[in-house]
Amino acid sequence: MYKPTYPKTFPKDFLWGGATAANQVEGAWNEAGKGLTTAEVVKKTTDRKHMSMDDVTISSIQTALDDQTDTMYPKRRGVDFYHHYKEDIKLFAEMGFKVYRFSIAWSRLFPKGDELKPNSDGLAFYDRVIDELRRYHIQPLVTLSHYEMPIGLTLKQNGWASRATIADFNRFTEVVFKHFKGRVPYYLTFNEINTGTWGFHATGAVDTENSAHDQMQLRYQALHHQFIASALATKQLHAIDPDAKIGSMLARMQTYPATPNPADVQAAQVEDDKNLFFTDVQARGEYPEFMNRFFAENDIQLQMAPDDQTILAKYPVDFISFSYYMTTVTQADAPEQVNGNMATGGRNPYLEESDWGWQIDPVGLRVTLNEMWDRYRKPLFVVENGLGALDQLTTDQQVHDTYRIDYLRKHIAQMKAAVQDGVQLMGYTMWGPIDLISFSTSEMSKRYGFIYVDQDDAGKGSLKRYKKDSFYWYQKVIKSNGEDL
Ligand code: BGP
């Protein structure tokens, strides 16, 4: 007799933790032989909703390189994790983290990007971090490329626009896989790979083309190179460290139809497919038909080497990860979002938004998890989710961030519902467990953490760490394996 059952809650080995990126936390931008990166030539902005990341030109890079301070470039200073990592990891351990997602800065190992041998001082820093994590039985989840690359590769060959960057990247990944063999169980290749269609921050390629069409052509070509580099990294890892697993990483943004009008539903499906396209390539190992149509209709021609399609097909990722912050809405007559960006797209009257205009949608996380599980049938990992807010440190050094607890509680509850629906979910690393520099705005005051860092937008402050109310709440969540929300 068939007796249906379903998982009642999170699996016992569920990976609870938090996620950061090198250029948002580390600081020490000019120590131990490190080279400057694409992230560290992006200026801070004073306009809260403006994205600072793509105002970059060759001349603004030259100006940045001449400026050997961190005043205008907050990603150079981060929150000084480089010198505070012991204290910070201890705090993560106190919350009960099972996993810590962080990125290895390519420029610590290969300062200009094209060297043949790695900088051993750079490797030594990550040895120290990984040893410290292992002391507390926290598993490392390493992002190989989180929105940065050595600026030398932009100046030499316009970043990922050049096919030569594939070999440079895979020289870096080979060193990482060999050096950390047996000590890093999980890797991700490119953070939010889909945002490469938005430009420089993800591709390291400045806008050199005149027309919008040529610019888009360049970005899709840069992305193609990343797809190949990602597949080749998968091949390397499986050969070097067969027990380790490697995943893709997408900025997942589900698109809803504005009305039940079938034309709107169809328009939303097109947008949604365009978001999932990147994971389609990395998980299924081929470009989907709908993108071939999109390329043909927009006259985008990708240069592919004869083996490229075989490489994509032979080395798909082991698991699929994504960030989840918001959903969006579209309709049939909406202007085409070829060049989408965060916090654009249609407003949804049923949703509230953060102070930065990001539409908060916990139920959408369950919808997305089900949809992605159905589409790929590979284990999923939510590697970013969280709330950027203007926290206040009280005079007695507390932060009462009930809004953050509320946000995370609702998302974790929906994640649990998805697990009960049968979705195979490996873990959850909330974004920014310790306050860090915001990626899109380079502000310090857009805070995500369970841990408050005393530093302001001008870089002033003691850098002292304080536990927020959400720190104790997350500790309880992990201890109860997601039962006590
Ligand atoms: C994701 C990035 C992160 C992170 C996060 C929050 O897109 O992968 O690096 O910063 O968003 O964004 P922001 O810092 O702009 O608030």
Side-chain angles (χ1 to χ4, degrees):
M1 200 172 75
Y2 178 64
K3 197 162 166 260
T5 59
Y6 69 97
K8 293 283 185 290
T9 188
F10 294 103
K12 280 204 174 56
D13 56 356
F14 192 75
L15 293 166
W16 297 99
T20 65
N23 64 78
Q24 295 174 262
V25 293
E26 282 182 7
W29 59 281
N30 53 2
E31 280 184 51
K34 183 181 175 301
L36 269 176
T37 67
T38 46
E40 291 156 331
V41 299
V42 175
K43 272 194 185 161
K44 71 176 178 187
T45 170
T46 46
D47 173 358
R48 190 189 284 181
K49 288 191 183 168
H50 177 75
M51 309 282 157
S52 64
M53 38 193 190
D54 287 325
D55 300 338
V56 176
T57 61
I58 291 292
S59 106
S60 80
I61 292 173
Q62 291 299 352
T63 309
L65 295 182
D66 291 341
D67 185 348
Q68 290 293 305
T69 72
D70 61 16
T71 320
M72 292 306 294
Y73 305 96
K75 290 188 188 110
R76 295 181 183 181
R77 74 173 94 94
V79 291
D80 202 28
F81 176 80
Y82 190 86
H83 297 110
H84 289 73
Y85 71 95
K86 281 195 179 176
E87 179 187 350
D88 295 344
I89 291 172
K90 189 163 182 244
L91 288 164
F92 299 159
E94 201 180 321
M95 278 186 276
F97 276 25
K98 313 279 183 219
V99 65
Y100 172 47
R101 174 181 172 226
F102 61 99
S103 70
I104 289 185
W106 183 354
S107 62
R108 283 203 189 278
L109 275 50
F110 293 86
K112 291 207 177 86
D114 62 356
E115 297 87 345
L116 297 179
K117 293 267 174 287
N119 164 26
S120 55
D121 288 347
L123 284 168
F125 169 62
Y126 295 108
D127 277 333
R128 296 198 289 278
V129 168
I130 289 169
D131 285 351
E132 201 63 17
L133 290 169
R134 287 163 62 85
R135 254 165 61 103
Y136 296 105
H137 307 289
I138 300 175
Q139 307 202 50
L141 162 58
V142 167
T143 313
L144 293 158
S145 176
H146 193 124
Y147 281 172
E148 68 182 332
M149 66 195 302
I151 194 69
L153 292 178
T154 298
L155 297 172
K156 182 178 173 192
Q157 56 208 32
N158 208 17
W160 284 101
S162 164
R163 191 164 178 108
T165 301
I166 299 175
D168 293 325
F169 181 73
N170 289 136
R171 207 163 51 250
F172 158 67
T173 54
E174 187 179 1
V175 164
V176 170
F177 298 153
K178 284 189 174 156
H179 187 82
F180 298 108
K181 180 179 166 151
R183 292 189 285 160
V184 174
Y186 307 106
Y187 286 97
L188 303 176
T189 50
F190 293 95
N191 180 63
E192 297 190 334
I193 190 165
N194 50 313
T195 68
T197 55
W198 306 353
F200 176 76
H201 68 284
T203 60
V206 292
D207 289 357
T208 51
E209 303 299 327
N210 293 327
S211 71
H213 165 270
D214 292 356
Q215 198 50 53
M216 211 21 83
Q217 162 85 41
L218 179 144
R219 290 180 187 176
Y220 278 108
Q221 186 64 50
L223 274 161
H224 179 70
H225 296 148
Q226 292 187 332
F227 285 144
I228 298 300
S230 177
L232 290 174
T234 303
K235 178 185 179 190
Q236 286 175 325
L237 182 69
H238 289 167
I240 295 168
D241 193 355
D243 290 336
K245 303 267 181 254
I246 193 159
S248 54
M249 174 11 176
L250 180 81
R252 178 68 180 125
M253 238 175 274
Q254 178 112 23
T255 304
Y256 299 135
T259 74
N261 179 343
D264 289 347
V265 174
Q266 197 270 332
Q269 187 189 45
V270 167
E271 279 310 309
D272 217 40
D273 274 345
K274 266 201 246 157
N275 181 231
L276 291 169
F277 142 63
F278 304 84
T279 305
D280 287 351
V281 175
Q282 292 185 287
R284 293 166 157 173
E286 61 182 1
Y287 279 73
E289 292 86 350
F290 62 84
M291 279 312 281
N292 291 333
R293 176 178 177 178
F294 171 82
F295 290 147
E297 285 179 350
N298 290 279
D299 192 25
I300 288 172
Q301 291 162 27
L302 299 180
Q303 301 287 324
M304 292 203 194
D307 283 349
D308 281 4
Q309 278 165 322
T310 313
I311 291 170
L312 294 177
K314 270 182 91 173
Y315 308 108
V317 289
D318 301 315
F319 67 95
I320 290 161
S321 83
F322 62 95
S323 63
Y324 182 84
Y325 294 95
M326 67 186 98
T327 52
T328 183
V329 171
T330 199
Q331 59 199 54
D333 53 5
E336 207 183 350
Q337 294 176 21
V338 181
N339 193 2
N341 212 332
M342 280 188 182
T344 59
R347 307 316 308 174
N348 185 331
Y350 297 95
L351 301 180
E352 291 177 3
E353 55 182 48
S354 79
D355 289 347
W356 281 262
W358 295 16
Q359 302 192 97
I360 301 169
D361 183 5
V363 174
L365 179 54
R366 179 179 180 185
V367 174
T368 277
L369 281 163
N370 272 282
E371 190 179 296
M372 291 179 78
W373 173 242
D374 282 350
R375 190 163 173 133
Y376 303 116
R377 292 275 148 179
K378 290 200 182 206
L380 303 178
F381 204 140
V382 178
V383 293
E384 281 187 38
N385 169 239
L387 180 70
L390 294 166
D391 293 339
Q392 288 308 324
L393 187 69
T394 61
T395 44
D396 56 349
Q397 273 122 24
Q398 312 232 350
V399 179
H400 302 303
D401 55 343
T402 42
Y403 38 89
R404 178 167 296 109
I405 294 172
D406 185 57
Y407 175 103
L408 295 171
R409 174 188 287 132
K410 287 180 177 154
H411 283 83
I412 293 173
Q414 292 299 325
M415 219 166 54
K416 183 170 164 186
V419 168
Q420 293 171 329
D421 293 335
V423 171
Q424 200 178 317
L425 188 60
M426 297 166 67
Y428 175 79
T429 51
M430 69 74 78
W431 174 253
I434 182 161
D435 290 347
L436 39 70
I437 304 292
S438 153
F439 196 83
S440 58
T441 65
S442 286
E443 291 170 313
M444 183 68 214
S445 51
K446 187 181 187 187
R447 296 170 185 273
Y448 284 85
F450 298 127
I451 301 161
Y452 185 92
V453 177
D454 178 26
Q455 178 174 238
D456 65 15
D457 283 337
K460 301 240 162 17
S462 64
L463 287 174
K464 270 191 81 171
R465 276 72 169 143
Y466 300 98
K467 298 170 197 172
K468 303 182 194 175
D469 290 356
S470 56
F471 181 100
Y472 301 101
W473 172 81
Y474 198 50
Q475 189 177 51
K476 192 181 66 164
V477 171
I478 298 179
K479 195 154 179 242
S480 64
N481 199 27
E483 287 305 292
D484 190 355
L485 294 177

